[in-house]
Amino acid sequence: MFPGATTDREAASYVVVGAPLDATTTFQPGTRFGPDRVRKFAETYDDYDRRTDSRFSAIGVCDAGDVRPWDDVKAYLDHLAAELRSVVYDDATPLLLGGEHTVTYAGVDAVDPDVLVVCDAHLDLREAYDGNPWNHACVTRRCLDDLGVDRAVIVGARTGSEAEWDRAADADVEVVAPEDAREWIDALGDGSAGDAAGRTFAADDSIYCSIDVDGLDPGYAPGTGTMEPFGLDPREVRDLVRAVAPHADGFDIVEVNDRDDGQAAAVAGKLLREFVYAHAAGGDGSSE
């Protein structure tokens, strides 16, 4: 159980669902251990949050456990989406613990947002990887092309194939480079988010927020499958989550594995809690 999740399913405002999918990892496997590892390394966090003057245990979080995967990835994603959709139908916010990034497809399918905000080192805009369109390197492309998301904002991206960068040049994708992330996050917190082209969120946009832990620099979160140097620092990602949370209808943290001493899991658990605190409070996007 995620520490501090004390509410039963029927009364919950937030429902944690683990999705330990580890089917298409392309370098270091181990995301099957991600959900439980995040739970473990969140055990030491204090219940009280000074910034919001609230207690995690009083916000109404339920941990519904894991949805066990199997080898048919698309069938599993459809099943996972149905489980998450039941959370949405109960007027609760789904909090998905991955697992490889492919599980974001199920979260987006369940929430049906206008905008997908992703923190990720990679564009994940491939049509297929090694012939597989359900590879974790394709998840943002699947959400755009198959689920009809209007727009994807990829914060922290610093690598991709030539074809992916061509796809990222289309009007429905915005890429915020690591060196531009702080300015973008601060602008979003002020209610004026936009890149140099002046693109902004509409006030009534529904947003799904996905945090791939490899969006952080691997010096902070080495326990992930495909480490990519020159990434974001934890405070930048924290402030991104705080700024997006009040506008979001779903959240996930993905790509944590067991190949470090707990750094990636620790930051992942903290980011989930930051999302809940900021979402429940209505958030002001401020940083400390």
Side-chain angles (χ1 to χ4, degrees):
M1 177 180 291
F2 193 89
T6 59
T7 306
D8 62 36
R9 176 72 170 74
E10 290 74 18
S13 298
Y14 303 89
V15 178
V16 176
V17 177
L21 183 66
D22 196 6
T24 76
T25 47
T26 46
F27 183 53
Q28 294 189 123
T31 53
R32 68 193 66 189
F33 305 115
D36 282 345
R37 195 164 173 82
V38 174
R39 292 176 176 111
K40 174 183 177 181
F41 282 91
E43 288 177 1
T44 62
Y45 296 141
D46 286 326
D47 189 40
Y48 177 71
D49 180 61
R50 182 174 178 271
R51 189 180 76 95
T52 59
D53 190 27
S54 59
R55 296 183 182 276
F56 192 81
S57 60
I59 293 177
V61 180
C62 168
D63 190 337
D66 292 352
V67 177
R68 184 177 178 181
W70 60 92
D71 57 0
D72 187 333
V73 173
K74 181 56 168 63
Y76 173 69
L77 294 174
D78 289 343
H79 175 69
L80 178 60
E83 294 289 331
L84 297 171
R85 200 171 290 113
S86 72
V87 175
V88 175
Y89 288 163
D90 289 340
D91 293 324
T93 301
L95 309 172
L96 186 59
L97 283 180
E100 64 176 70
H101 206 169
T102 318
V103 302
T104 294
Y105 178 92
V108 171
D109 192 9
V111 171
D112 190 25
D114 301 305
V115 179
L116 170 62
V117 176
V118 189
C119 174
D120 201 331
H122 309 89
L123 292 171
D124 288 351
L125 289 171
R126 296 174 187 262
E127 178 56 43
Y129 188 91
D130 286 341
N132 180 9
W134 298 106
N135 185 279
H136 68 103
C138 310
V139 63
T140 302
R141 181 70 171 266
R142 296 278 73 77
C143 291
L144 286 165
D145 292 0
D146 298 0
L147 294 178
V149 171
D150 292 338
R151 189 154 151 255
V153 183
I154 310 168
V155 183
R158 49 200 182 271
T159 189
S161 68
E162 184 176 359
E164 285 181 281
W165 285 110
D166 288 344
R167 180 65 179 86
D170 290 348
D172 59 350
V173 179
E174 177 182 352
V175 178
V176 181
E179 57 268 28
D180 300 323
R182 170 51 65 189
E183 181 180 2
W184 188 91
I185 293 162
D186 289 345
L188 179 59
D190 293 337
S192 57
D195 63 6
R199 287 183 274 186
T200 59
F201 295 132
D204 59 350
D205 277 344
S206 168
I207 296 173
Y208 185 94
C209 181
S210 176
I211 305 296
D212 185 330
V213 78
D214 72 26
L216 283 84
D217 189 272
Y220 299 109
T224 192
T226 312
M227 293 181 285
E228 186 70 30
F230 313 130
L232 304 180
D233 69 47
R235 287 183 181 174
E236 287 175 317
V237 182
R238 177 200 68 181
D239 293 344
L240 168 63
V241 169
R242 286 179 177 177
V244 173
H247 313 284
D249 297 318
F251 174 81
D252 67 50
I253 181 82
V254 298
E255 293 287 346
V256 172
N257 66 22
D258 61 338
R259 304 221 170 195
D260 66 1
D261 292 325
Q263 298 97 312
V267 76
K270 200 71 169 181
L271 290 170
L272 184 147
R273 288 166 60 101
E274 288 287 347
F275 177 89
V276 172
Y277 285 130
H279 189 275
D284 60 8
S286 65
S287 58
E288 295 177 351

